[in-house]
Amino acid sequence: MIKWIFVSIIVLVLFVASSFILEIDLSRIGGSTLRRIIIFNNQPNQFSISCSDGNSTETCSSYYPTNIEFEDDDSPTTSCPEYFRWIHEDLKPWKNTGITREMVERGKNISHIRLVIVNGKAYIEKHGKVFQTRDMFTIWGILQLLRLYPGKIPDLELMFQCGDKTVVNKKDFQEPQISPPPVFHYCGNEQSYDIVFPDWTFWGWAELNIRPWETTLHNIQEGNKIVKWKDRIPYAFWKGNPKVSYVRGELGKCNATENHDWNARIYGIQWQNEKASHFENAKLENQCTFRYKIYTEGATWSVSEKYIIACDSMTMFIEPKYYDFFTRNMLPLQHYWPISIRNMCEEIKYAVDWGNSHLHIAEAIGQRGTNYVVENLKMKFVYDYMFHLLNEYAKLMKFKPIIPTEAVETCAESMVCSVRGLKKRLFVESIVTSPSETPPCTIPPPYTPQTLKDFLQKKQNLLNQVKTRTIDINE
């Protein structure tokens, strides 16, 4: 018996030792430029993060690859979705002048953070207090991009605005000799030069208990299966905070009353009450039981847009004034139904009545909207959009980035190991554990003046069909 216990101990020691040996950085032995870690469970290139006590700030790792080479750089790559063409449009104000340090510095007073990337490392300088944890999850997303494409993001320096409202107004830069400051932001509109970037919720929204985009989208798609489209409630549904904008307040007037039914079911939400009930009544995957869903902006654009579109319901866009990075190629009557702010309640009633009289078309519009999101908003494409936007931006820079004295080097370890609770869980859930095995998708060329004009005219023609109620869609 003692003999077998002794043998078991020896085997255990050898097991632990072999596990340790197999996890060493082989690049230090072979001198390879691409450092690799071979994990004991035979999954190569998986780089997890370990915090010593769960609440300590770890130093940035030295074992994660600092560069990556794809197996065959000459092989065909995936084409990026068409909305990537708007990268060229968003950077067009600086196409002829380039971006100087003076331009970047003029954006400091209207930005929350300065991001500097030098030799693949990120440095953050904070300029002001940000609502909730938007800046934290935005920075986290950028760090994951660096982990996905190590050594592929050029040195750069930029300013980032984390609020709702656009900040670089076109009217302030009408003189040709004055160039606007390049400021990155979550949304833009026709009156601003804000450079549009993916919002923080792709990596999670801790305050509202919303998980990272891939998980949330999966849950919504599972929720879509609960009720077949034709069996769903035949009205237009909206749920949210009605106090953040005039339009949302007016939308509340479209609710059904004893005297009139506008075919809308509008529900206000009190986030403090939802938090107290652990958000049981606010789960996004449980809000896909209506045939029609309404998207309306908040203070500006709203992150709810992608969640609403993903429901398979025919989405009604209430005349958005702002845009995010991925919706500018969506078309009315193909991906959504446009609603004018003027006579909003009548417009919603007409859309629902029309849809209920043309069930196959209404269902198809909803499914095409969802398919647009599912196919074009994979996280790989979100990262690729960030990759191409930052690369195109860096090409315009006419100065060498420098690390500010007050900037702090920030990495995945320093963020994960300094938080606890839900924030840590969202970080861990959305972390990039290894470099990409495939290169970024191929960015499409810029619009020519004529192709952009044709696209915008096509969109306007479809809008006019709804405005004049002369809808021409084949059953």
Side-chain angles (χ1 to χ4, degrees):
M1 183 70 179
I2 297 175
K3 178 181 178 181
W4 285 112
I5 293 174
F6 179 76
V7 171
S8 299
I9 293 173
I10 294 297
V11 170
L12 180 62
V13 170
L14 290 173
F15 177 86
V16 173
S18 64
S19 174
F20 174 78
I21 292 171
L22 287 171
E23 291 184 8
I24 64 172
D25 187 345
L26 298 182
S27 68
R28 295 180 182 176
I29 301 174
S32 172
T33 58
L34 174 57
R35 289 185 282 179
R36 296 177 179 270
I37 291 182
I38 307 301
I39 302 300
F40 180 76
N41 59 9
N42 294 322
Q43 293 180 347
N45 298 331
Q46 298 291 315
F47 300 85
S48 59
I49 290 177
S50 176
C51 303
S52 59
D53 60 7
N55 191 34
S56 63
T57 302
E58 297 288 330
T59 57
C60 297
S61 70
S62 59
Y63 62 82
Y64 198 88
T66 57
N67 196 6
I68 184 171
E69 299 298 333
F70 301 110
E71 290 185 5
D72 187 359
D73 287 336
D74 296 326
S75 61
T77 59
T78 304
S79 297
C80 300
E82 278 292 293
Y83 66 80
F84 278 58
R85 301 180 84 169
W86 292 98
I87 289 174
H88 307 293
E89 295 298 314
D90 286 350
L91 296 176
K92 187 176 287 185
W94 303 276
K95 181 179 178 180
N96 295 327
T97 62
I99 295 172
T100 65
R101 172 165 295 284
E102 185 271 336
M103 292 178 190
V104 173
E105 291 299 330
R106 279 195 284 112
K108 182 175 181 178
N109 293 334
I110 52 175
S111 300
H112 288 105
I113 56 177
R114 183 200 303 264
L115 166 69
V116 179
I117 296 176
V118 175
N119 295 328
K121 297 181 179 180
Y123 302 85
I124 303 297
E125 178 185 72
K126 296 191 175 183
H127 299 154
K129 183 175 176 57
V130 176
F131 181 64
Q132 296 182 341
T133 51
R134 294 182 178 192
D135 55 340
M136 178 184 292
F137 280 87
T138 297
I139 294 168
W140 176 255
I142 293 169
L143 294 177
Q144 302 322 297
L145 175 68
L146 296 177
R147 289 171 68 89
L148 187 68
Y149 295 124
K152 300 299 183 182
I153 307 301
D155 291 359
L156 56 82
E157 189 170 341
L158 60 83
M159 299 292 182
F160 205 107
Q161 161 65 225
C162 299
D164 286 323
K165 296 184 178 180
T166 51
V167 293
V168 187
N169 299 315
K170 289 183 178 180
K171 63 181 178 64
D172 297 332
F173 303 96
Q174 296 180 355
E175 298 297 329
Q177 65 271 22
I178 304 177
S179 297
V183 176
F184 286 67
H185 194 197
Y186 307 123
C187 68
N189 63 5
E190 295 302 321
Q191 287 73 49
S192 72
Y193 287 121
D194 295 41
I195 301 171
V196 185
F197 195 85
D199 71 80
W200 73 98
T201 61
F202 282 98
W203 299 274
W205 191 354
E207 289 78 10
L208 300 190
N209 197 37
I210 294 177
R211 296 171 71 180
W213 169 239
E214 285 185 326
T215 304
T216 300
L217 177 60
H218 170 77
N219 291 340
I220 292 174
Q221 289 183 293
E222 290 299 306
N224 289 344
K225 301 175 184 177
I226 296 174
V227 182
K228 292 182 179 180
W229 193 90
K230 290 180 181 178
D231 295 331
R232 293 185 182 187
I233 303 169
Y235 297 108
F237 170 87
W238 181 83
K239 186 173 186 177
N241 183 354
K243 298 180 180 180
V244 294
S245 72
Y246 170 79
V247 176
R248 288 189 178 187
E250 291 296 298
L251 177 62
K253 298 177 182 179
C254 301
N255 231 335
T257 67
E258 292 182 358
N259 300 321
H260 202 85
D261 191 344
W262 297 108
N263 291 337
R265 300 296 183 263
I266 312 301
Y267 300 88
I269 193 168
Q270 299 293 330
W271 286 114
Q272 289 301 321
N273 296 339
E274 295 298 335
K275 184 177 181 180
S277 63
H278 305 288
F279 302 95
E280 282 299 318
N281 298 319
K283 290 182 178 180
L284 297 170
E285 59 268 28
N286 295 337
Q287 298 181 27
C288 301
T289 57
F290 285 74
R291 289 182 187 170
Y292 312 94
K293 292 198 69 175
I294 297 171
Y295 167 71
T296 181
E297 295 178 332
T300 57
W301 134 99
S302 170
V303 300
S304 65
E305 189 171 29
K306 56 185 176 289
Y307 307 128
I308 292 171
I309 297 170
C311 261
D312 277 348
S313 305
M314 187 179 85
T315 304
M316 300 179 185
F317 281 15
I318 299 183
E319 204 168 347
K321 305 294 184 185
Y322 297 83
Y323 50 76
D324 57 21
F325 74 101
F326 70 91
T327 53
R328 282 176 278 184
N329 276 82
M330 297 184 73
L331 289 170
L333 298 183
Q334 290 191 22
H335 304 109
Y336 64 92
W337 186 285
I339 299 290
S340 173
I341 293 176
R342 183 180 298 179
N343 301 321
M344 180 167 39
C345 299
E346 291 89 340
E347 293 256 326
I348 292 172
K349 177 173 173 51
Y350 171 76
V352 171
D353 285 341
W354 190 95
N356 287 337
S357 299
H358 302 80
L359 290 177
H360 293 299
I361 301 177
E363 182 179 9
I365 293 173
Q367 288 180 343
R368 283 196 297 267
T370 296
N371 289 341
Y372 180 94
V373 166
V374 171
E375 294 169 5
N376 296 308
L377 210 55
K378 297 178 174 69
M379 274 308 297
K380 180 65 159 57
F381 283 145
V382 175
Y383 284 122
D384 285 0
Y385 191 94
M386 297 160 62
F387 174 91
H388 285 299
L389 177 56
L390 294 181
N391 270 273
E392 295 300 318
Y393 172 87
K395 290 176 185 177
L396 296 172
M397 288 179 49
K398 304 181 74 172
F399 64 96
K400 183 177 181 180
I402 58 173
I403 303 171
T405 55
E406 297 186 4
V408 177
E409 182 183 352
T410 308
C411 60
E413 289 83 1
S414 64
M415 293 193 72
V416 169
C417 298
S418 63
V419 297
R420 290 196 290 183
L422 181 57
K423 297 184 186 70
K424 183 187 287 287
R425 292 198 298 272
L426 295 177
F427 282 165
V428 171
E429 185 174 337
S430 61
I431 193 170
V432 170
T433 58
S434 65
S436 175
E437 295 180 351
T438 58
C441 60
T442 302
I443 186 172
Y447 283 110
T448 66
Q450 187 60 47
T451 55
L452 182 56
K453 180 180 178 181
D454 291 345
F455 173 76
L456 295 177
Q457 186 60 57
K458 179 181 180 180
K459 180 178 283 191
Q460 187 59 50
N461 290 342
L462 292 168
L463 287 170
N464 290 339
Q465 285 189 32
V466 178
K467 287 180 180 179
T468 59
R469 299 190 177 179
T470 56
I471 298 161
D472 181 20
I473 306 177
N474 294 325
E475 187 79 41

